[in-house]
Amino acid sequence: MEDLGLKIFGAILTTIMAFAVGMTYGGIVRKLTARVQNRFGPPFYQNFLDLVKLQSKKTNIAHGFMGHTAPVWIIIASITVLMFIPILNGNLWFPNLNFHGDLIFILYMMVFGSLGMALGAGQTGNPNSAIGVTRGLSMMVGYEIPFVLALVALMVQYHTTSIQDLMQIQHESGTWLIFSNPFAFLAALFASLGMFRYSPFDIVGAPAELASGPMSEFGGKYLGTMMTGGSIFSFIKLTLYVDLFLGGAGNPDHIGIWATLAGIGVLLIKTFTLYMVPVFYGWVSPRYRTEQAIRYFWGWPTALGIIGLIWAVY
Amino acid sequence: MINDKDSQKIVDYIQNFSRKHSLFVMAYGTGCGAIEIPATMTSRYDAERFGIRGAATPRQADVLLITGYLATKTLKRVIRVYEQMQEPKYVIGFGSCTINGGMYYDSYNTINALEQYIPVDVYINGCMPRPESVISGFIKLQELIQQGKADNGKRYRENLEWYRTNQKKIIKNWKMPDYNW
Amino acid sequence: MTDLIKEQKLLENVTNPFKIKGRVIRNRRVEVFCDKETVSSVLLYAKTQLGYIHLAHMTCIDWIDENKFELVYTIWSPVEKVHLFVKTKIDRENPEMENIDRIWDQANTYEREMREMFGIEFPGLKGERDFALEDWEEIPPMRKDFDTHNYAQQTYFNRPGREDAKDVRETLVERSGTEVPDFAKKYSRER
Ligand code: SF4
């Protein structure tokens, strides 16, 4: 019973941390983007202000059941996935529902939020939403392939489908998987460009063309909830990548409070570095159309994924 | 809910603070003034440092900028956009044309005084106002929000009859959904 | 100054087959006057035989004293680089003109605008009656007998002090009883 209480407390703590980190990263990116464009830029806590404002807006539109629940689906999906991602390696403070095969589970679960969103956006009846959803789903088909190839390469190489095991392997052998299978890492990295929806792949929510796509009928509290879900999700993706390829953070041998803090520090440094990849890529690239994006993903990233798979087998 | 007066004050303060620093502007340009908006938003004048940011749809927007003269045909669309926006919402009249008709004061097809048709919080004068004055207008709006005086939506709801009469006087073929919130 | 020989020749090319009048306005501008019935044949002839393949503009002028509308068709020859104005006058009462959108498709837009702004009918014209205006109930607004100032004052809410084209500064001075500041005088109208 004590164990359960601790787990619930840990889950809440994890969620809050994921939310805070995701929001702050978003704010920092906005600030950095502004600096790159020679502007002063909003403060780094701007996203929190936006969120408070959105949540304090009146929302008097009804678009049916799915329209109401679409943001909730995103939150549900992101928190569920978060529960299965080990934040720190074998740490008491951030427990997770780890089991054998959670890598495959996560693969499925990560699409769940987008699908709920797609259904909700479809029910609003806005033509822009419908176009945005079609584009988003086609884009997802694009980047899922190199992503899945990369993960399969890892599974084949180490004969395991558990994230915890992969982290443990990295911890014990002392080499990160980025070195033992660089091709898989590159494929996954390219896929992450599409996942974060930064510039070349932001046709889904293009404000000028689609009136912000799937979100176009969602304002106020809906938008705020979506923002929350989105920030948690970006933290999840980053942590997953760090766990899989960059050796994770934390040390299972030390679980004191200082070790935990140090682990979080390492995690933040690693995730932020990784986050900068899609952001940097976005600053220097214009927007791709959907078919260009898909062609992009099915070109080199997929080839790298296949090479990674072959590398893993031999 | 919080009933205590002082804690309500704190909540109000936080709400107003975040509302004031996060203004999503509806990207809808009428008239010639819309050309000043890119200048206001981009690197030289950078409105984003005040939290002013574009929003693509009326559902997400807080501020409706009327950037110049309004033809009667456009007025219909503006009313539609305004009514789709969620409270709290604010309207900024931008340029002489929205104040007194400007150089189109005797035109057969443009309205002269905007506040007769939808409530206005802040007017920015000039033909056309430069980005500095646009930003000063926004700061004026922020002050009003902080003091809790920017009650645009409330005014519209309470005087709906009056606004409707004025609007229907111009828009003869009134085929619009009801305003019900 | 060129001696406009090219223009004279081009003018004769148009006027001779139809026995209509015309003149050379200046370098690269030629105009011909014809009556209502010949306009479409002149345009068709100019397009197919003389190479004026582009309809640049169509417009209408309200000569209220003569009780006529004058229609001007501006066509352009990319080979000769000459603008040809084909002008015709039609009655102001129940104005009606031949529809030329089978010669140039884009004429449709100009004709719809003229139908709305001057009330000229073009039989067989495609498209909605509302073009730029919406639900217009008065006489067409570009006609000279339509008093736009009066209409605006009655329909829209004028702000006091802006009923006429007077300098707003004067009204402000009157109201507040102060002087016009020096920097403002610099831009005043009287100068
Ligand atoms: S105030 Fe001047 S710049 Fe603005 S819309 Fe009117 S005429 Fe154009």
Side-chain angles (χ1 to χ4, degrees):
Chain A
M1 216 48 224
E2 211 176 90
D3 203 30
L4 185 67
L6 196 65
K7 275 221 149 133
I8 291 176
F9 171 72
I12 293 172
L13 197 70
T14 323
T15 316
I16 291 175
M17 194 186 91
F19 164 71
V21 172
M23 290 296 259
T24 317
Y25 278 9
I28 292 176
V29 166
R30 271 176 78 177
K31 180 87 184 173
L32 287 178
T33 314
R35 296 306 299 164
V36 167
Q37 293 169 356
N38 203 1
R39 290 185 288 136
F40 185 73
F44 75 93
Y45 51 86
Q46 179 68 44
N47 273 356
F48 291 100
L49 293 180
D50 284 357
L51 186 68
V52 174
K53 185 215 62 183
L54 286 174
Q55 293 291 9
S56 70
K57 253 178 115 85
K58 288 208 181 80
T59 308
N60 302 345
I61 359 159
H63 283 301
F65 179 71
M66 276 316 293
H68 263 306
T69 47
V72 184
W73 280 53
I74 293 182
I75 286 266
I76 292 174
S78 49
I79 293 182
T80 319
V81 181
L82 184 65
M83 290 301 107
F84 288 91
I85 304 251
I87 307 291
L88 294 182
N89 194 356
N91 198 289
L92 191 67
W93 298 88
F94 299 99
N96 65 313
L97 312 175
N98 175 37
F99 65 96
H100 283 278
D102 53 1
L103 201 48
I104 294 174
F105 176 74
I106 279 173
L107 262 184
Y108 281 98
M109 211 50 199
M110 276 171 83
V111 210
F112 186 81
S114 314
L115 287 182
M117 176 78 204
L119 289 176
Q123 203 181 28
T124 60
N126 191 316
N128 284 324
S129 305
I131 301 172
V133 164
T134 5
R135 290 185 182 180
L137 292 185
S138 353
M139 194 105 100
M140 212 152 79
V141 173
Y143 66 73
E144 283 287 305
I145 287 188
F147 183 60
V148 172
L149 276 173
L151 295 197
V152 168
L154 293 189
M155 295 180 207
V156 170
Q157 192 166 1
Y158 292 99
H159 302 285
T160 176
T161 49
S162 152
I163 304 174
Q164 191 72 52
D165 285 356
L166 283 171
M167 283 171 84
Q168 197 59 35
I169 288 167
Q170 296 182 64
H171 177 65
E172 280 160 12
S173 66
T175 38
W176 295 352
L177 294 193
I178 175 174
F179 299 120
S180 55
N181 196 341
F183 298 108
F185 174 70
L186 280 179
L189 196 65
F190 279 122
S192 83
L193 298 181
M195 265 181 216
F196 281 103
R197 304 228 177 111
Y198 276 114
S199 193
F201 309 107
D202 59 349
I203 187 105
V204 180
E209 292 155 9
L210 287 180
S212 77
M215 280 99 80
S216 50
E217 276 293 315
F218 296 104
K221 295 191 173 66
Y222 295 120
L223 194 65
T225 318
M226 275 179 200
M227 251 174 85
T228 317
S231 335
I232 299 182
F233 228 97
S234 64
F235 179 75
I236 289 170
K237 290 172 210 153
L238 293 169
T239 317
L240 180 68
Y241 273 58
V242 169
D243 283 353
L244 289 182
F245 295 103
L246 297 184
N251 194 334
D253 308 334
H254 308 283
I255 48 172
I257 185 124
W258 293 114
T260 312
L261 284 183
I264 291 179
V266 173
L267 182 74
L268 290 187
I269 292 171
K270 281 180 181 173
T271 43
F272 192 74
T273 317
L274 202 58
Y275 196 30
M276 284 297 109
V277 175
V279 173
F280 276 31
Y281 197 83
W283 286 342
V284 293
S285 5
R287 186 176 289 152
Y288 280 161
R289 272 178 290 146
T290 325
E291 70 269 20
Q292 287 169 332
I294 293 181
R295 203 176 300 145
Y296 178 91
F297 285 125
W298 287 1
W300 278 109
T302 310
L304 283 170
I306 293 173
I307 295 174
L309 195 56
I310 296 170
W311 174 285
V313 173
Y314 291 105
Chain B
M1 286 315 293
I2 305 161
N3 291 321
D4 187 17
K5 255 201 171 159
D6 283 344
S7 37
Q8 185 59 43
K9 247 188 212 160
I10 295 172
V11 173
D12 276 354
Y13 182 84
I14 295 174
Q15 269 193 0
N16 285 342
F17 184 79
S18 54
R19 274 175 189 166
K20 144 184 169 191
H21 283 295
S22 150
L23 296 170
F24 287 17
V25 180
M26 179 69 206
Y28 181 60
T30 65
C32 7
I35 205 70
E36 289 293 319
I37 300 304
T40 316
M41 289 293 181
T42 46
S43 50
R44 175 124 190 197
Y45 294 100
D46 185 26
E48 205 188 358
R49 67 202 147 114
F50 303 111
I52 300 161
R53 184 186 174 190
T57 75
R59 299 287 190 210
Q60 302 168 357
D62 306 311
V63 183
L64 182 58
L65 261 186
I66 309 290
T67 51
Y69 57 84
L70 277 184
T72 53
K73 202 172 173 178
T74 328
L75 180 70
K76 189 169 173 180
R77 276 79 189 169
V78 163
I79 293 169
R80 190 100 166 71
V81 167
Y82 177 75
E83 293 185 351
Q84 283 188 32
M85 281 163 60
Q86 304 289 306
E87 276 181 50
K89 51 190 172 186
Y90 319 105
V91 176
I92 294 184
F94 183 114
S96 327
C97 280
T98 53
I99 302 175
N100 57 16
M103 64 193 274
Y104 299 102
Y105 75 102
D106 62 348
S107 164
Y108 54 87
N109 202 27
T110 60
I111 62 161
N112 281 353
L114 178 61
E115 85 266 11
Q116 308 283 347
Y117 306 98
I118 51 177
V120 180
D121 289 305
V122 177
Y123 274 124
I124 306 169
N125 77 347
C127 175
M128 54 186 48
R130 284 185 54 80
E132 291 98 330
S133 36
V134 178
I135 286 179
S136 86
F138 270 109
I139 287 177
K140 177 78 188 159
L141 179 66
Q142 287 183 338
E143 278 165 19
L144 289 180
I145 295 172
Q146 183 67 69
Q147 293 159 7
K149 284 186 194 154
D151 53 349
N152 201 296
K154 188 157 146 269
R155 263 188 284 156
Y156 192 64
R157 250 184 297 124
E158 279 167 4
N159 305 322
L160 188 60
E161 282 299 298
W162 187 74
Y163 284 118
R164 271 282 183 276
T165 340
N166 285 352
Q167 291 162 0
K168 283 190 181 163
K169 193 176 160 201
I170 288 185
I171 303 168
K172 287 162 189 130
N173 185 5
W174 185 271
K175 265 188 251 148
M176 295 226 255
D178 283 341
Y179 184 67
N180 50 10
W181 53 76
Chain C
M1 186 69 201
T2 50
D3 39 4
L4 305 179
I5 291 176
K6 182 175 85 174
E7 280 76 8
Q8 280 296 346
K9 220 171 120 253
L10 290 171
L11 178 64
E12 277 159 25
N13 281 350
V14 188
T15 45
N16 282 348
F18 294 96
K19 311 267 179 304
I20 50 177
K21 278 204 240 59
R23 72 187 178 100
V24 175
I25 307 176
R26 63 168 172 81
N27 189 14
R28 298 201 272 141
R29 298 284 185 280
V30 181
E31 68 179 352
V32 295
F33 308 97
C34 43
D35 50 10
K36 193 176 157 184
E37 283 75 25
T38 43
V39 168
S40 68
S41 23
V42 170
L43 290 173
L44 196 58
Y45 179 75
K47 183 185 179 184
T48 51
Q49 307 295 320
L50 305 179
Y52 293 90
I53 55 172
H54 174 56
L55 173 72
H57 194 218
M58 267 171 78
T59 188
C60 177
I61 301 145
D62 187 0
W63 297 110
I64 192 163
D65 296 339
E66 289 178 42
N67 212 9
K68 295 270 190 206
F69 280 134
E70 182 174 31
L71 272 79
V72 184
Y73 300 77
T74 311
I75 56 181
W76 158 254
S77 160
V79 180
E80 307 285 357
K81 308 243 183 304
V82 164
H83 275 300
L84 174 67
F85 301 96
V86 181
K87 295 188 176 178
T88 179
K89 284 193 177 169
I90 59 175
D91 272 342
R92 220 164 158 280
E93 265 77 55
N94 298 324
E96 198 179 292
M97 187 63 206
E98 196 176 341
N99 173 12
I100 61 151
D101 67 0
R102 71 201 149 82
I103 309 181
W104 279 286
D105 278 348
Q106 70 265 38
N108 180 282
T109 309
Y110 297 118
E111 284 171 358
R112 279 175 67 194
E113 188 185 357
M114 280 194 241
R115 178 168 73 184
E116 178 154 75
M117 294 295 174
F118 293 94
I120 304 173
E121 283 300 326
F122 294 88
L125 188 59
K126 290 189 231 60
E128 291 275 324
R129 288 200 83 83
D130 277 349
F131 180 66
L133 304 172
E134 219 170 44
D135 313 318
W136 187 257
E137 285 166 359
E138 305 287 315
I139 60 171
M142 283 294 199
R143 289 195 181 196
K144 288 237 168 93
D145 47 2
F146 174 74
D147 186 351
T148 158
H149 188 184
N150 196 7
Y151 177 81
Q153 288 215 324
Q154 280 167 9
T155 320
Y156 309 114
F157 299 87
N158 269 88
R159 192 169 302 271
R162 189 58 175 155
E163 295 92 352
D164 44 23
K166 211 167 67 182
D167 198 333
V168 184
R169 275 187 298 253
E170 288 162 23
T171 321
L172 288 180
V173 167
E174 257 171 47
R175 226 188 275 162
S176 62
T178 48
E179 282 283 300
V180 184
D182 278 346
F183 71 88
K185 265 185 204 144
K186 205 166 96 192
Y187 304 104
S188 84
R189 291 231 179 111
E190 281 75 48
R191 231 169 61 102

